Amino acid sequence: MINILPFPNERKHTFAFLNYAKACSPVFIDTDVDMTKILNLRESSATLSQSKLSIITYFIYAAARVLSKYPEANSSLLGGLLPKLAQSDTVSAKFALDKKIGEQRVVLPGLIPHANQISLQGIQNIIDYYKLNDFDNIQEYAALKKLQKLPLFLAELIFGLILADLKRRRSRLGTFSVSSLGHKSINSFFSVGGTTLTFGLGQIQSQPVVQKEEIKIAPVMRLSMTFDHRVIDGAMAADILSDIRESLERFCE
């Protein structure tokens, strides 16, 4: 027996976003990151009154500071007959959340404005706000709730019109995106987050690495990156990914 069901309202924002993201010209690269320094810092950051900072918090902190040095990559593109680029003077991070709206499991965005200017704990506080509150209690989802109530064709139209305004787009999508599936046995994955750069964080697992011509076992994370080839080229993308890897391996606030 096959049940024919209407498309769920709770997923209309995802449907509209994915249609918008089709315009991207994605290229995929990845690297391995030795996470020894980060894991040691996580242990030392935990106190009786404070839990460990999350891996994604360290990543956003490091990536935002690297990207502040690459204004070309920290840009939003408006295509069409007369394409335009909007370069932002600050770096804002969009991260993906696995949450429920009623009984429907969905991906929702969380936004960290000025991520290159706030502390590790400040980033963690924003992440916790999105993670710990129910969908209905998060003020930033007010517009998304209205979108979900519209007919699908109208939701797509309005979504596209909003993102056509490059100044408003930053407040909806940020200037780079990150998703993590490291809580599962996923080594790497690539997605398109609607920004010039989208990062994917895989699981951390023990692997042999060469350090000072010696083989050692270290906790290694696969870091993937999707870049929009319309905005930047492979050489710059490789520089950015390498810089972020180095920043994580030699992390310093």
Side-chain angles (χ1 to χ4, degrees), residues 1 4 9 17-18 38 52 62 65 111 122 144 157 168 181 239:
M1 180 178 178
I4 307 298
N9 289 339
F17 167 76
L18 291 175
I38 297 297
K52 295 178 185 177
R65 280 151 180 81
L111 192 70
L144 191 149
L157 176 62
R168 294 178 67 184
L181 293 178
D239 289 344

Side-chain angles (χ1 to χ4, degrees), residues 10-11 13 97-109 130-138 141 144-145 148:
E10 296 86 354
R11 294 192 58 80
H13 68 286
L97 292 149
D98 177 27
K99 294 183 77 70
K100 276 192 171 185
I101 302 177
E103 297 300 316
Q104 185 75 42
R105 188 175 181 180
V106 298
V107 174
L108 291 170
Y130 281 99
K131 288 181 68 175
L132 299 177
N133 283 290
D134 293 334
F135 173 75
D136 289 332
N137 296 327
I138 297 177
Y141 292 154
L144 191 149
K145 293 175 189 176
Q148 291 175 341

Side-chain angles (χ1 to χ4, degrees), residues 236-253:
M236 179 178 290
D239 289 344
I240 291 170
L241 191 60
S242 297
D243 286 356
I244 293 175
R245 173 188 175 181
E246 183 175 346
S247 181
L248 290 169
E249 292 184 341
R250 301 181 182 182
F251 192 91
C252 182
E253 286 191 72

Side-chain angles (χ1 to χ4, degrees), residues 13-251:
H13 68 286
T14 301
F15 191 98
F17 167 76
L18 291 175
N19 275 341
Y20 158 80
K22 288 178 182 178
C24 178
S25 297
V27 177
F28 312 102
I29 59 177
D30 62 16
T31 189
D32 289 330
V33 183
D34 183 342
M35 297 293 284
T36 301
K37 182 74 177 288
I38 297 297
L39 294 184
N40 289 339
L41 287 171
R42 286 192 77 213
E43 291 297 329
S44 62
S45 72
T47 66
L48 292 176
S49 59
Q50 178 178 300
S51 60
K52 295 178 185 177
L53 298 173
S54 67
I55 296 296
I56 200 169
T57 292
Y58 283 101
F59 176 81
I60 289 174
Y61 182 96
R65 280 151 180 81
V66 168
L67 289 175
S68 66
K69 302 173 185 177
Y70 292 91
E72 299 94 336
N74 196 46
S75 300
S76 299
L77 172 67
L78 180 64
L81 295 176
L82 298 172
K84 297 179 181 179
L85 280 171
Q87 289 186 0
S88 176
D89 56 355
T90 62
V91 183
S92 298
K94 184 189 74 168
F95 62 98
L97 292 149
D98 177 27
K99 294 183 77 70
K100 276 192 171 185
I101 302 177
E103 297 300 316
Q104 185 75 42
R105 188 175 181 180
V106 298
V107 174
L108 291 170
L111 192 70
I112 302 178
H114 312 293
N116 60 316
Q117 298 174 2
I118 60 178
S119 66
L120 277 168
Q121 190 57 55
I123 293 172
Q124 186 65 56
N125 290 343
I126 295 174
I127 291 174
D128 288 343
Y129 164 74
Y130 281 99
K131 288 181 68 175
L132 299 177
N133 283 290
D134 293 334
F135 173 75
D136 289 332
N137 296 327
I138 297 177
Q139 181 180 357
E140 287 77 3
Y141 292 154
L144 191 149
K145 293 175 189 176
K146 294 179 182 177
L147 194 75
Q148 291 175 341
K149 296 177 181 178
L150 297 174
L152 192 52
F153 78 93
L154 190 55
E156 287 186 79
L157 176 62
I158 293 175
F159 190 87
L161 289 174
I162 291 172
L163 297 187
D165 184 334
L166 289 174
K167 293 181 179 179
R168 294 178 67 184
R169 189 188 300 180
R170 183 180 67 178
S171 67
R172 299 294 192 273
L173 297 183
T175 58
F176 77 96
S177 306
V178 57
S179 296
S180 174
L181 293 178
H183 63 293
K184 296 293 185 179
S185 56
I186 304 299
N187 292 328
S188 65
F189 67 101
F190 299 88
S191 62
V192 176
T195 47
T196 297
L197 300 178
T198 304
F199 298 93
L201 279 58
Q203 67 172 329
I204 298 174
Q205 55 182 340
S206 297
Q207 293 184 14
V209 298
V210 178
Q211 296 177 349
K212 297 180 180 179
E213 299 184 353
E214 294 184 4
I215 297 178
K216 298 182 179 180
I217 302 299
V220 174
M221 180 186 74
R222 182 68 53 81
L223 174 61
S224 63
M225 185 175 88
T226 303
F227 69 92
D228 191 339
H229 210 335
R230 299 173 303 169
V231 183
I232 64 171
D233 293 326
M236 179 178 290
D239 289 344
I240 291 170
L241 191 60
S242 297
D243 286 356
I244 293 175
R245 173 188 175 181
E246 183 175 346
S247 181
L248 290 169
E249 292 184 341
R250 301 181 182 182
F251 192 91

